[in-house]
Amino acid sequence: HQKEAVKFLLARKRCILADEQGVGKSLELSVAAIEGNFDSVLIICPASLKTNWKNELMWYVPEKDITIIDRFDDKTKPELEAFLGYAVGKSSKTKKELLEEAKNAGKWQDNRFIIVNYDVLVDFFSLKRTLTEKARQEQIENSPILKYI
């Protein structure tokens, strides 16, 4: 089935691969991206699986080609300071000010492989909302989705 999935990915300019958990989506994606010489692969998955996706991809591609996009709301003040290039503990800004600055900086980073979860993706793109946010989130959380562009 993995060979068929790679053929499926290579035969299309854009597509969604939504296989069952544990059947080798990262292998299928990696082989297709390498064989197809794709410039950009967007992986949308539950937040809890972003690091797992990165670790799986690193079997096939260099770490420098992989970017995980995170949300800023759950970051501590020292994490925000470090992220924005301030000396940790030396910024005179409040956490709220740092959070606003981080969001304004728009830290979407283009790379060959971009891993993001849905609730972070909507911070960067205006998506059509045909389902309620909760229903859409449940749909995404229960069915890992991968799309390459």
Side-chain angles (χ1 to χ4, degrees), residues 3-15:
K3 288 181 182 180
E4 290 301 314
V6 170
K7 288 179 188 176
F8 175 83
L9 292 169
L10 290 173
R12 288 155 178 82
K13 188 173 182 176
R14 295 176 185 211
C15 70

Side-chain angles (χ1 to χ4, degrees), residues 82-95:
F83 179 78
L84 291 166
Y86 294 111
V88 174
K90 303 292 183 189
S91 167
S92 62
K93 296 185 178 190
T94 66
K95 180 179 177 182

Side-chain angles (χ1 to χ4, degrees), residues 27-116:
L27 170 67
E28 296 162 359
L29 166 73
S30 300
V31 171
I34 292 165
E35 291 293 318
N37 199 28
F38 299 137
D39 294 327
S40 182
V41 178
L42 176 62
I43 301 166
I44 306 169
C45 65
S48 61
L49 295 178
K50 290 192 296 190
T51 301
N52 186 63
W53 264 101
K54 181 178 180 180
N55 291 338
E56 291 290 324
L57 286 170
M58 286 177 11
W59 283 97
Y60 312 103
V61 298
E63 184 175 10
K64 69 175 182 57
D65 289 349
I66 306 167
T67 298
I68 292 179
I69 306 295
D70 284 317
R71 176 167 263 165
F72 302 109
D73 295 338
D74 59 348
K75 303 288 186 206
T76 64
K77 183 177 178 183
E79 288 172 326
L80 289 167
E81 288 173 327
F83 179 78
L84 291 166
Y86 294 111
V88 174
K90 303 292 183 189
S91 167
S92 62
K93 296 185 178 190
T94 66
K95 180 179 177 182
K96 184 177 179 180
E97 291 170 327
L98 291 167
L99 184 58
E100 192 62 33
E101 185 177 339
K103 287 180 178 179
N104 287 336
K107 295 296 183 176
W108 181 273
Q109 300 169 9
D110 285 334
N111 206 340
R112 186 166 185 203
F113 294 89
I114 301 168
I115 305 169
V116 64

